[in-house]
Amino acid sequence: QTVVPYASLIKQINSLRAGSYALALIVSVVASICAVFVSRSITVRVSRLAKRMKEIREGNTNVGISNNRKDEIGELYNNYNYLIGRINELLQQQYEMGQELKSAELKALQSQINPHFLYNTLDMINWYGYKKEPEHINAVVTALAKFYKQSLNKGSNIVTIEDELKHVFYYMQIQTLRFSGKIQMKMDYEDEIKEYAIPKITLQPIIENAILHGILEKESREGVIFIQGRRIGGRIILKVIDDGVGIDEEVLQELNGEMKKEGKGFGLANIQQRVQLLFGMEFGLHFMSEKGKGTTVELCLPAIPYRELRQNDAGQ
């Protein structure tokens, strides 16, 4: 039996404890340095994109960003560059062709890269970086990258309803984070409608309008957006329902009549124009609202499978 002096044992324990403390201190310092480095790397790149967006707001659309990274922000850079290139292409096409449908598609693409929405999102990412909350930065950047990747859809102007619903899902992920979960979205749609065709960037402007002019004008600034989808005979009926402040009768009549193509109704008027140019005057938007209780925007489309329109759209 071996006997170890008590003092020697205590000395060894103290030595191990001191070593553990030193190791923990070193790990903490290294982790802190890495966190600062990662946070700074993210905020610098986000600030660069925000600066380019500010130039777009001032009217300069020739503002690409060089990129040699393949992470989420790198993908966001690539999507941004694609969007800028696509906008410039459509501007040139509009100048040369002068077609109303191309004009409507251009306006939709410009609303997709809405500087206010993107600037607010980048500002939110910057704030999370300042607070050193990488998990929130990752959630927002991932949703934003998927939002733009989904909206690009290989340049096609017609998408499936399934893809359009994914697009608004990612959009609402960002808005839910931005408003701390006070604005939620629910969906209820028939599976069979997912493969039917819809003009790209149709639902997102309607939802954005419901948030800005419906829910955020409530005193509580809280609410739910509900999306329904059904096929009725040869038509697809999509409804965007909010529990916001509602619409005045005078404005409601205007929306169901000849919508303005500027101001607050610009995005909705553009949707109406694009749908009717593509499918006919019997299709488009219809508005129902009760003051103080909310608004329902009904979108009527022909039940045309996406695969039947894809070839024609690709040739435009």
Side-chain angles (χ1 to χ4, degrees):
Q1 184 175 1
T2 303
V3 178
V4 178
Y6 179 77
S8 174
L9 181 62
I10 292 299
K11 184 177 180 180
Q12 291 181 17
I13 291 173
N14 289 335
S15 176
L16 285 173
R17 181 183 300 158
S20 298
Y21 288 157
L23 180 60
L25 180 61
I26 293 171
V27 171
S28 297
V29 170
V30 172
S32 297
I33 293 173
C34 290
V36 170
F37 176 78
V38 171
S39 177
R40 178 171 175 77
S41 173
I42 291 173
T43 54
V44 166
R45 296 168 70 200
V46 168
S47 296
R48 185 181 300 124
L49 185 54
K51 183 178 178 181
R52 294 294 185 271
M53 288 304 307
K54 185 176 180 181
E55 292 182 40
I56 291 178
R57 292 174 65 182
E58 294 171 353
N60 180 14
T61 58
N62 297 311
V63 283
I65 303 178
S66 60
N67 175 53
N68 57 2
R69 302 280 287 274
K70 295 184 179 181
D71 56 8
E72 288 87 351
I73 296 181
E75 185 175 357
L76 188 59
Y77 274 18
N78 291 334
N79 290 336
Y80 166 86
N81 288 331
Y82 181 92
L83 286 169
I84 294 300
R86 184 65 175 152
I87 285 175
N88 288 327
E89 287 178 11
L90 289 174
L91 283 169
Q92 184 64 26
Q93 288 178 14
Q94 173 64 16
Y95 176 78
E96 293 175 352
M97 301 175 65
Q99 296 181 351
E100 287 188 359
L101 182 56
K102 290 296 179 183
S103 176
E105 291 167 354
L106 172 60
K107 292 171 186 174
L109 194 59
Q110 287 174 330
S111 68
Q112 170 191 333
I113 195 171
N114 185 326
H116 297 290
F117 163 67
L118 189 50
Y119 183 83
N120 288 334
T121 305
L122 295 175
D123 188 56
M124 177 170 59
I125 295 171
N126 255 333
W127 175 246
Y128 284 141
Y130 175 76
K131 294 197 299 180
K132 296 181 175 59
E133 297 183 7
E135 69 281 0
H136 286 105
I137 293 174
N138 182 66
V140 176
V141 170
T142 300
L144 191 61
K146 288 181 178 180
F147 171 80
Y148 281 116
K149 183 177 182 180
Q150 192 68 40
S151 63
L152 291 175
N153 196 46
K154 300 179 181 179
S156 176
N157 296 309
I158 301 292
V159 298
T160 64
I161 290 176
E162 181 178 23
D163 284 342
E164 185 71 2
L165 291 173
K166 287 180 181 178
H167 184 243
V168 299
F169 174 77
Y170 296 132
Y171 173 78
M172 282 303 301
Q173 272 191 322
I174 296 169
Q175 297 293 45
T176 298
L177 287 167
R178 180 186 171 194
F179 296 107
S180 304
K182 292 182 178 180
I183 299 178
Q184 300 288 334
M185 181 180 71
K186 298 180 180 180
M187 293 186 182
D188 177 28
Y189 57 88
E190 297 173 344
D191 283 342
E192 68 168 301
I193 72 170
K194 292 193 297 186
E195 295 305 315
Y196 286 98
I198 185 173
K200 184 170 65 177
I201 319 170
T202 297
L203 293 178
Q204 183 260 326
I206 299 174
I207 294 172
E208 182 177 18
N209 193 73
I211 293 173
L212 294 178
H213 305 298
I215 294 174
L216 291 183
E217 291 191 7
K218 294 167 64 177
E219 185 176 349
S220 66
R221 294 173 67 86
E222 297 182 13
V224 178
I225 294 175
F226 190 47
I227 298 179
Q228 289 182 337
R230 301 284 185 272
R231 177 180 176 180
I232 302 176
R235 296 179 177 233
I236 301 295
I237 304 297
L238 295 170
K239 293 182 180 181
V240 177
I241 306 167
D242 69 71
D243 58 356
V245 296
I247 303 175
D248 292 330
E249 184 62 29
E250 182 179 344
V251 177
L252 191 62
Q253 291 180 5
E254 181 181 303
L255 289 171
N256 283 323
E258 185 175 350
M259 284 185 281
K260 293 180 180 179
K261 295 184 180 179
E262 56 185 13
K264 291 183 179 179
F266 166 77
L268 300 176
N270 184 58
I271 294 171
Q272 187 84 313
Q273 182 187 26
R274 293 170 66 216
V275 170
Q276 291 180 347
L277 282 170
L278 283 167
F279 303 123
M281 296 299 293
E282 68 270 29
F283 301 102
L285 301 175
H286 181 72
F287 298 81
M288 296 162 282
S289 183
E290 187 173 348
K291 195 65 178 174
K293 294 188 176 180
T295 300
T296 297
V297 181
E298 183 178 280
L299 172 64
C300 180
L301 300 167
I304 302 175
Y306 168 73
R307 63 180 179 274
E308 293 183 12
L309 289 181
R310 182 173 54 184
Q311 185 174 358
N312 291 336
D313 180 59
Q316 289 182 356

